[in-house]
Amino acid sequence: MPCAPRLLIPLYALAALAGQALSIVWMKRVTLILGGTVPAVGTVLAVVLTGYAIGAAAVGRWGRADIPVARLFAFLTAVTGVWGLALPHLFALFESVYAAIAPPTDTAGHQAIRVALLLPVLLPPSAAMGAVFPAVSAAGVSRTFAAGVGGSLA
């Protein structure tokens, strides 16, 4: 087995662990924004799973042929990490935009506005995380799924 696929397995497990940690941070922060755990869990779960699907479909269709797997993996992981570092600023921007456009009284539309504003904050890193599995799988690494599950459970 070449060196790169051997290294991809533990790196993928670490990326899965970091992705789960980032999702927990999102959940905590979105709970403060949406005002409750149930709407936060529902929103984060829907956005994360949508992002995973978008990322996996994009890499599955277009991203695997021309780019070396290790380079694609590094790029996707860097996107997720940089976005994670930018999240405090993105959430501050979210709150200022929401304060500027939200009606003065709390209505059912407020929840829809909050969710719509959260999409551009949470969807890009979710898509990058979703693209990692098909990218690493393209290397022919047979233990990829087990490494991702192990990293997520850690």
Side-chain angles (χ1 to χ4, degrees):
M1 180 184 280
C3 183
R6 224 176 315 155
L7 287 176
L8 282 176
I9 293 172
L11 290 175
Y12 179 65
L14 288 173
L17 174 64
Q20 290 302 319
L22 194 56
S23 295
I24 291 168
V25 170
W26 294 347
M27 199 83 63
K28 299 278 187 186
R29 182 65 181 183
V30 172
T31 298
L32 295 174
I33 292 169
L34 297 181
T37 303
V38 172
V41 169
T43 300
V44 170
L45 186 61
V47 172
V48 166
L49 291 179
T50 301
Y52 282 3
I54 290 169
V59 167
R61 181 169 284 199
W62 298 294
R64 296 188 305 188
D66 299 336
I67 303 170
V69 174
R71 195 171 286 169
L72 182 59
F73 174 76
F75 171 76
L76 293 169
T77 305
V79 166
T80 305
V82 168
W83 206 273
L85 292 173
L87 274 177
H89 304 291
L90 293 172
F91 279 124
L93 178 64
F94 165 88
E95 290 169 351
S96 63
V97 169
Y98 175 73
I101 66 171
T105 57
D106 198 16
T107 64
H110 277 158
Q111 207 70 340
I113 292 170
R114 290 179 189 134
V115 170
L117 289 174
L118 282 170
L119 281 174
V121 173
L122 299 180
L123 201 55
S126 298
M129 286 189 280
V132 168
F133 179 73
V136 174
S137 296
V141 178
S142 60
R143 296 177 300 244
T144 303
F145 185 74
V149 171
S152 295
L153 293 176

